[in-house]
Amino acid sequence: MNTPPSPSGAEHTDRSSIRLGALVPLTRPGWVEAGRHLLAGLDLAVREVNDAGGIDGRPLELVVRDTAADPERAAAAVDELAHLGVAAVVGEYHSVVARAAAARADALGVPFLCSSAVLDALTEEPTEWVARLAPAQSHGWRIYADFLLRAGRRRIAVATQPSVYWASGTRILRDHLAPRGGTVLELDATLTPEALCDALVDHGATALLLLVGHPEPAVPIVRAVRRDRRLAEILVGAPAGQPEFAEWAAALGEDGAGIPFLRYLPERLGPLGERVGKKLRERLGEAPSFVAFEGWDTVNVLAAVLRSHGPDRAAVAESWPRVAVEGTRGPIRFSRTPGIGVWQWAWTPVQVVDRAPAEPDRFRILHAG
């Protein structure tokens, strides 16, 4: 397994350290830019905990494993990290990968605090070992569907690829839109961009949602739609958040603006969020995405748990319902949410935003829920 060096220090230099295993997509086909932001948040929080004296004098140590968006690789990493004696596993961005990690963590009795994946069914059965910061897909995507309705977009087409995540998203949209007069047409993303444009015209679609990977096939689809005069009035959307990252703007320029997506930030950050955001910007050399804040909040929660209950794995897992931590985006508490088998923060703030057409580096808040 290709393992990058731990950015928080050498892995075996301090036997008294408390280890946290971190699952992060750092190589393709994983979303590398999301992984970089997630790791920046995790690492910054670890360094701040250690600068403040660690956990009862013991430093935190981040043991990083690259998942490369591969569920089997993630499950194997959980095995390895458990053998290394980590107190808990954190991280992951891709939902199908986080699901594999959660199943393995549950089987091994290792606490897993999922930072960023949203699939409702993160585990097949309810578990005490897993908690999650990101909002469930059903919560965020219903807010996105409400945005579409408010914008007068009821004939929705989705360009989609085979995936549990995309299928779940399509079902959430259809179930929410149908009782409100909306329709959802599924289009196979293997269609040529030109054929997809023809299908949009034939259907009379008023919105096209990109439930596909980035940069392929999302970038060529956007370019084709933007250049088709028949589709000048169609709304192109990406609820999964592809336009959040600078890589999107670099690939598409003005064509990538005006494409609404979901992100998990409040309208205004409080003092803690502002402080952390400034440090994240310094580390990343660009504006931090919500994923970077998720990373910082993850370690902040676990540090509070470790201070109160120690590094025993069972004690960490038993602490989820007693968490009460101030995060960068609001107070964090975990609860049991109907239909979700893990301990869930319900909910982080949710926004629908886009890149301003005249200023692609500026985000506009279009809707909040």
Side-chain angles (χ1 to χ4, degrees), residues 133-339:
L133 287 175
Q137 188 179 20
S138 59
H139 177 70
W141 286 46
R142 285 174 189 149
I143 291 170
Y144 194 93
D146 287 336
F147 158 74
L148 293 173
L149 292 170
R150 197 181 73 167
R153 311 286 177 159
R154 284 177 164 75
R155 296 180 65 82
I156 312 301
V158 297
T160 187
Q161 295 173 300
S163 161
V164 171
Y165 176 64
W166 299 129
S168 172
T170 301
R171 183 174 61 254
I172 292 163
L173 292 168
R174 181 175 283 123
D175 290 349
H176 194 72
L177 290 169
R180 297 163 178 81
T183 60
V184 176
L185 171 72
E186 292 185 58
L187 298 175
D188 191 333
T190 61
L191 290 170
T192 67
E194 294 73 21
L196 192 142
C197 287
D198 290 340
L200 293 173
V201 173
D202 292 343
H203 178 62
T206 57
L208 168 66
L209 305 186
L210 303 169
L211 309 193
V212 296
H214 170 76
E216 298 288 337
V219 168
I221 290 173
V222 171
R223 285 178 177 151
V225 171
R226 293 300 201 206
R227 283 155 178 71
D228 193 320
R229 293 183 179 181
R230 300 172 299 171
L231 299 172
E233 299 302 318
I234 199 168
L235 180 146
V236 180
Q242 296 94 324
E244 167 80 12
F245 297 100
E247 182 181 357
W248 175 272
L252 283 163
E254 292 182 0
D255 285 346
I259 297 180
F261 63 93
L262 286 167
R263 72 174 182 180
Y264 310 126
L265 289 173
E267 184 175 355
R268 296 184 188 280
L269 291 168
L272 176 61
E274 289 284 357
R275 180 187 70 76
V276 172
K278 182 179 179 181
K279 289 192 173 184
L280 287 169
R281 179 184 285 272
E282 292 171 356
R283 280 175 164 257
L284 291 163
E286 61 187 13
S289 69
F290 68 85
V291 180
F293 288 99
E294 287 174 328
W296 193 94
D297 284 338
T298 300
V299 172
N300 188 42
V301 166
L302 267 176
V305 167
L306 292 168
R307 289 188 187 103
S308 299
H309 301 281
D312 176 76
R313 290 172 178 171
V316 170
E318 290 167 2
S319 74
W320 299 136
R322 294 187 288 277
V323 165
V325 174
E326 187 63 29
T328 58
R329 297 160 299 150
I332 298 173
R333 288 180 168 82
F334 296 116
S335 61
R336 286 299 193 184
T337 302

Side-chain angles (χ1 to χ4, degrees), residues 73-159:
R73 185 165 170 169
V78 174
D79 280 342
E80 181 195 3
L81 292 166
H83 179 72
L84 289 173
V86 300
V89 175
V90 300
E92 195 43 49
Y93 177 79
H94 300 282
S95 282
V96 294
V97 181
R99 189 171 64 159
R104 197 68 194 128
D106 180 47
L108 294 173
V110 177
F112 175 38
L113 179 50
C114 181
S115 303
S116 201
V118 301
L119 193 68
D120 282 45
L122 197 59
T123 55
E124 293 295 330
E125 300 292 336
T127 174
E128 300 298 320
W129 292 98
V130 182
R132 174 169 57 188
L133 287 175
Q137 188 179 20
S138 59
H139 177 70
W141 286 46
R142 285 174 189 149
I143 291 170
Y144 194 93
D146 287 336
F147 158 74
L148 293 173
L149 292 170
R150 197 181 73 167
R153 311 286 177 159
R154 284 177 164 75
R155 296 180 65 82
I156 312 301
V158 297

